[in-house]
Amino acid sequence: MNSKLTKKQREQLCDLIGNVDLTLLYKASVHGYDAFAFHQRCNNQGPTLLVAYNNAGYIFGGYTSVDYTQTFNAVTDDTAFLFNIKGAAPLVIKANSGRHLRYGGNSGPSFGDQLYFCYNNQPLVYNQGGNAYQGMAFTFSPATLYGNNTNLIECEVFKVEQKKHQASAKIKPWRNVQWTAKQRDELIKMIRNYKPLPTSVSRVRILMIGPVGAGKSSFFNSVNSIFMGRITSKAMSGSAGTSLTTQFRTYPVKDGREGKPLPFVLCDTMGLEEQSGAGLDIEDISSILQGHIPDRYKFNPVTSFQPDEQKSSRPASLQEKIHCVVYVIDATKISLMSEKLEEKLSAIRKKVNSLAIPQVVLMTKVDEACPDVQEGLQSVYVSSYIKTKVQEVSSRLGVPVSCVLPVKNYSQELELELNCDVLLLTALQQMLNFAEDYLDDVAPM
């Protein structure tokens, strides 16, 4: 039993979910456009991907991580999404958080209790309307998803499984990292002893920008943990639907509990959001870059920062400005990044470029993105999947591959871990290097 998907289409769909394999469970042309046949083959199979094909040439469907069953319980799944791959790149429509994905029962596959496949045991798709799904760059409509053509020529359901771990000892790493206590100690020493070149700058200011939940605050907590010698949680972090950071915060890091401040400050911002009038305003970013926004300023998503006239009449000193910009991106959500979010990031990049400030990408949650890396963090630069994610985020954000830094923040751990420290410190050292290049260029001779 073979799928209608081409190799390229299968790879595109797998990439939307992660490092996964697809196993064909149900094929309507073979098993019938029949709810009983669908449930017989697809119930209790874990995460599944439905792919439908219609007369207009659309290939579309949906993913859910929740089992299909024939019980009549309401189902929610914040990871679910709809898609089509008619164009060059997949179009993704994410589920609204907390909405019912479907109600269990004896009907065929459905999404959002609004979109039904194999409707009434016929080769049809039916849209009941509603708002369980929200478009990433558009309002979801039948015309967008499947060209208003309800006649199916095929419907397939795949079991989605994480790829099995493969031995990678003989694979040459695509980046060289020394996973040793000596390397960690050397990185700590270099960061501890770093001094910005201009005497007017005592500490490098690094600005963290990224979507809600990507790990900006967690990165500060992780770096702070390394230098404190224990897990800390000074900055508020978590996975809420809206930004937990509502203020502009400048976080210095001390060298131990009673140590002196280290030569850098991590600046945290409100998270970027897709909707206009929500999350961090781009004009506020411009004010931050130029050193006008004070610590603990509370952001207003509706109105951008209005500087005091007396203070704004004088340019900010080099000490007050931002010296390196870091985009924090969740490795598990790169392929699901919306067009609106990309547009916001593009507008920010243009502003940062105009000020000649160096830019890097911190790619977080690499362990969640790849099972091999979850088994052992040393696999991060051996994993071909992580390498493709690095290349993808490089392409999407317009930064060189060498400026994309994979890391794992501390989140569930109670103790520090060597490999995690090495990745985090390597990323921080690179940020200081880029900031040094900027200061060397702009500081007066």
Side-chain angles (χ1 to χ4, degrees):
M1 185 170 65
N2 296 320
S3 168
K4 284 177 63 68
L5 288 174
T6 65
K7 181 180 179 182
K8 181 179 179 180
Q9 290 165 348
R10 180 183 285 260
E11 289 174 351
Q12 285 178 314
L13 291 175
C14 286
D15 201 39
L16 292 179
I17 307 167
N19 193 30
V20 299
D21 284 321
L22 301 180
T23 303
L24 186 58
L25 297 173
Y26 166 79
K27 189 177 178 74
S29 62
V30 174
H31 304 113
Y33 291 88
D34 179 79
F36 176 78
F38 161 74
H39 283 290
Q40 188 178 44
R41 301 189 66 84
C42 300
N43 279 1
N44 303 310
Q45 293 290 336
T48 52
L49 182 76
L50 181 144
V51 184
Y53 312 76
N54 69 9
N55 286 334
Y58 281 75
I59 301 173
F60 62 103
Y63 165 79
T64 173
S65 66
V66 180
D67 281 322
Y68 278 102
T69 66
Q70 286 174 278
T71 61
F72 287 85
N73 298 324
V75 175
T76 58
D77 181 8
D78 290 348
T79 67
F81 60 85
L82 301 177
F83 68 88
N84 77 35
I85 51 174
K86 181 177 174 60
L91 186 65
V92 177
I93 306 166
K94 296 187 291 186
N96 277 340
S97 178
R99 300 297 181 107
H100 287 154
L101 173 67
R102 62 176 183 273
Y103 289 91
N106 295 320
S107 64
S110 64
F111 290 84
D113 198 33
Q114 69 174 109
L115 186 64
Y116 296 84
F117 294 83
C118 305
Y119 185 65
N120 281 342
N121 296 332
Q122 298 294 321
L124 297 171
V125 62
Y126 171 68
N127 176 46
Q128 186 171 280
N131 61 352
Y133 284 86
Q134 179 182 10
M136 300 170 84
F138 53 88
T139 301
F140 164 57
S141 68
T144 302
L145 189 63
Y146 51 88
N148 272 327
N149 189 305
T150 61
N151 296 306
L152 300 180
I153 59 174
E154 186 61 273
C155 184
E156 300 174 335
V157 178
F158 298 84
K159 181 181 178 69
V160 178
E161 297 178 289
Q162 290 291 330
K163 285 187 177 180
K164 295 179 180 179
H165 174 75
Q166 296 178 348
S168 56
K170 295 183 179 180
I171 300 176
K172 183 179 179 181
W174 44 276
R175 280 185 188 167
N176 291 317
V177 171
Q178 297 177 15
W179 305 97
T180 63
K182 181 181 178 182
Q183 175 67 3
R184 176 180 59 186
D185 293 344
E186 287 182 357
L187 286 165
I188 289 174
K189 183 179 178 181
M190 283 191 291
I191 293 167
R192 181 181 288 147
N193 295 333
Y194 170 76
K195 290 183 179 180
L197 186 64
T199 55
S200 62
V201 177
S202 61
R203 287 180 288 183
V204 163
R205 288 167 64 89
I206 300 168
L207 177 63
M208 318 290 288
I209 298 174
V212 173
K216 297 183 281 78
S217 300
S218 292
F219 178 71
F220 163 74
N221 286 334
S222 298
V223 169
N224 193 52
S225 296
I226 295 172
F227 287 95
M228 288 296 291
R230 60 173 178 83
I231 299 298
T232 65
S233 186
K234 187 174 179 180
M236 188 180 298
S237 63
S239 56
T242 57
S243 181
L244 291 174
T245 304
T246 59
Q247 297 178 318
F248 174 63
R249 289 304 315 273
T250 57
Y251 290 111
V253 178
K254 291 197 300 184
D255 189 10
R257 184 178 178 184
E258 298 180 359
K260 63 180 182 179
L262 291 162
F264 63 91
V265 174
L266 296 176
C267 303
D268 198 9
T269 59
M270 191 176 187
L272 295 176
E273 297 187 35
E274 296 172 8
Q275 301 85 356
S276 57
L280 185 62
D281 186 270
I282 292 176
E283 289 304 314
D284 283 340
I285 293 176
S286 180
S287 296
I288 294 170
L289 295 172
Q290 298 177 73
H292 295 311
I293 292 189
D295 184 34
R296 297 184 185 272
Y297 167 77
K298 189 170 183 179
F299 295 106
N300 183 343
V302 179
T303 305
S304 59
F305 173 75
Q306 301 298 321
D308 180 271
E309 289 186 11
Q310 184 175 356
K311 290 183 179 178
S312 63
S313 63
R314 68 166 182 85
S317 67
L318 185 58
Q319 166 84 3
E320 296 170 306
K321 295 180 179 180
I322 295 299
H323 310 130
C324 180
V325 171
V326 178
Y327 303 104
V328 184
I329 305 295
D330 183 340
T332 68
K333 297 181 179 179
I334 293 168
S335 296
L336 300 178
M337 189 184 297
S338 71
E339 290 183 18
K340 282 187 176 179
L341 191 55
E342 281 197 57
E343 288 171 3
K344 280 192 174 183
L345 287 167
S346 177
I348 294 167
R349 288 199 315 275
K350 288 178 182 177
K351 182 62 182 177
V352 178
N353 284 334
S354 71
L355 297 171
I357 301 171
Q359 303 166 76
V360 299
V361 177
L362 197 68
M363 196 172 80
T364 61
K365 305 183 184 180
V366 291
D367 57 320
E368 295 179 28
C370 177
D372 288 355
V373 177
Q374 195 165 44
E375 283 192 25
L377 207 52
Q378 291 189 18
S379 298
V380 67
Y381 288 129
V382 174
S383 168
S384 59
Y385 180 74
I386 295 298
K387 185 177 182 180
T388 63
K389 293 286 101 179
V390 167
Q391 293 169 336
E392 181 181 356
V393 78
S394 166
S395 175
R396 281 178 174 246
L397 298 189
V399 299
V401 168
S402 60
C403 294
V404 181
L405 309 171
V407 297
K408 177 197 177 307
N409 289 330
Y410 284 111
S411 56
Q412 303 177 27
E413 296 79 7
L414 297 177
E415 295 182 355
L416 299 177
E417 198 270 327
L418 172 64
N419 294 332
C420 194
D421 286 357
V422 169
L423 267 188
L424 290 162
L425 291 167
T426 300
L428 179 58
Q429 180 64 51
Q430 285 296 96
M431 295 172 197
L432 294 178
N433 290 342
F434 287 122
E436 180 71 11
D437 292 340
Y438 169 74
L439 292 170
D440 187 34
D441 187 51
V442 300
M445 298 298 290

